[in-house]
Amino acid sequence: MKPLSKFDLSADIALVTGGAGLLGLQHCEALLEAGSRVVILDIDQSAIERYNEKFSTKYHDKIYSLITNISSESEIVSAKEEIYKKFNAYPSILINNATIDAKYETNNKINATRLEDFDLNQWNLEISVGLSGAFLCSKHFGTEMARAGKGVILNISSDLGLIAPSQFLYEDNSLPVDKQTVKPVTYSVIKHGLIGLTRYMSTYWAKNGVRCNALAPGGVLNNHDTEFKEKLSKLIPMGRMANIDEYKSTIVYMCSDASSYMNGSIISIDGGRTGW
């Protein structure tokens, strides 16, 4: 087989959780461009509608979306049944991408992010999506891959799955230390946990032909304010944040036969941040 032909995904069905989100759309587009049929599971109906609007004309027969809460095992099972009805097959690729990432409010604050104040209900909510959701999707779709003797599970971790957050990035000089906004503990726990899940599954199903790897992206430009971009860029040897499309080729590589001997690996693409 010629090297470039190994990137062809035309025989595959790929499932992307949180596929209508910022990076999720990029993952889906990369898979579609490589020939795959793509299914997205997302809880955000308006985001799914934007996704369908973006891709329906060019890829109308290759995309399928389902509103699904991946923290609910029963909804995942229902989605699996719907996918089989649609394609008469189960996905051969699973990208666990969904997460709840704390966002700045209009007053540039994230409420109750500090460890001392972090609410258990918020902890449970974020873990249920970012980590338990990945486990549940892997459990149900990975089992079908193992039965079929072939499949790829790709977990989307983060550079913050390898290092701790640099909390000074979120500092506001007008606030006292105990009132400063921070990157919440849940994000680090989830992204580190996905790496642990990756390594576990890479050994669990390897003999069944299922590979599992993780991608650890760095920060992606998304209308960040100038001060934040400048602070973060100083932590990155390349001196900038990632452009939104700079992970697409890696997604195709990690999901295709081009990476056929890659298993249990974590690829960090962060402009060199974790190298320092």
Side-chain angles (χ1 to χ4, degrees):
M1 183 181 290
K2 293 181 179 180
L4 289 181
S5 66
K6 292 186 177 184
F7 291 88
D8 179 30
L9 297 176
S10 57
D12 291 286
I13 301 169
L15 173 65
V16 183
T17 70
L22 179 71
L23 274 183
L25 283 173
Q26 299 297 309
H27 303 335
C28 291
E29 186 171 40
L31 295 164
L32 288 165
E33 289 171 348
S36 177
R37 290 164 287 176
V38 172
V39 179
I40 70 166
L41 300 187
D42 205 298
I43 200 169
D44 188 336
Q45 183 171 359
S46 61
I48 284 179
E49 290 171 356
R50 290 194 298 272
Y51 163 89
N52 288 331
E53 182 179 350
K54 179 177 175 64
F55 294 121
S56 61
T57 301
K58 188 175 182 180
Y59 299 109
H60 63 92
D61 59 339
K62 287 196 167 187
I63 61 172
Y64 187 52
S65 54
L66 291 167
I67 297 172
T68 306
N69 177 4
I70 63 165
S71 67
S72 167
E73 188 163 15
S74 63
E75 290 196 33
I76 291 172
V77 171
S78 296
K80 189 176 82 165
E81 294 170 352
E82 289 297 317
I83 293 167
Y84 191 86
K85 288 178 184 177
K86 173 72 174 178
F87 295 107
N88 197 35
Y90 294 110
S92 49
I93 297 167
L94 167 64
I95 299 182
N96 285 313
N97 171 74
T99 193
I100 297 175
D101 189 11
K103 300 297 183 185
Y104 284 103
E105 305 295 342
T106 54
N107 64 353
N108 202 36
K109 302 292 185 294
I110 306 175
N111 294 327
T113 58
R114 299 190 67 81
L115 189 61
E116 303 93 323
D117 304 315
F118 202 80
D119 186 76
L120 178 60
N121 291 326
Q122 188 66 22
W123 166 281
N124 288 335
L125 173 63
E126 294 183 23
I127 295 292
S128 72
V129 175
L131 196 51
S132 298
F135 155 68
L136 289 171
C137 287
S138 299
K139 171 184 174 180
H140 289 282
F141 292 102
T143 295
E144 298 300 337
M145 293 177 193
R147 287 173 178 163
K150 185 178 187 296
V152 173
I153 299 173
L154 175 58
N155 293 321
I156 306 300
S157 182
S158 167
D159 54 357
L160 299 185
L162 299 169
I163 58 175
S166 299
Q167 302 293 11
F168 80 91
L169 293 171
Y170 313 99
E171 283 180 356
D172 182 340
N173 293 330
S174 67
L175 297 174
V177 172
D178 63 344
K179 300 297 183 184
Q180 291 289 341
T181 292
V182 297
K183 191 74 171 178
V185 61
T186 40
Y187 192 83
S188 287
V189 170
I190 289 165
K191 296 306 184 181
H192 277 78
L194 286 172
I195 288 175
L197 183 64
T198 297
R199 288 177 169 144
Y200 183 93
M201 292 192 299
S202 71
T203 60
Y204 191 82
W205 278 321
K207 291 183 179 179
N208 300 92
V210 180
R211 298 186 293 113
C212 185
N213 297 290
L215 174 62
V220 178
L221 283 169
N222 182 31
N223 299 316
H224 293 90
D225 64 61
T226 300
E227 182 182 6
F228 180 87
K229 287 189 292 184
E230 289 177 351
K231 284 182 176 179
L232 182 53
S233 295
K234 290 178 181 178
L235 299 178
I236 301 169
M238 290 182 69
R240 65 175 178 87
M241 297 174 68
N243 295 316
I244 195 170
D245 62 350
E246 289 192 280
Y247 297 105
K248 291 174 66 177
S249 298
T250 305
I251 290 291
V252 175
Y253 169 69
M254 296 182 79
C255 290
S256 71
D257 285 342
S259 60
S260 58
Y261 197 56
M262 178 184 290
N263 188 38
S265 295
I266 292 83
I267 293 185
S268 177
I269 302 183
D270 56 14
R273 183 181 179 187
T274 53
W276 268 346

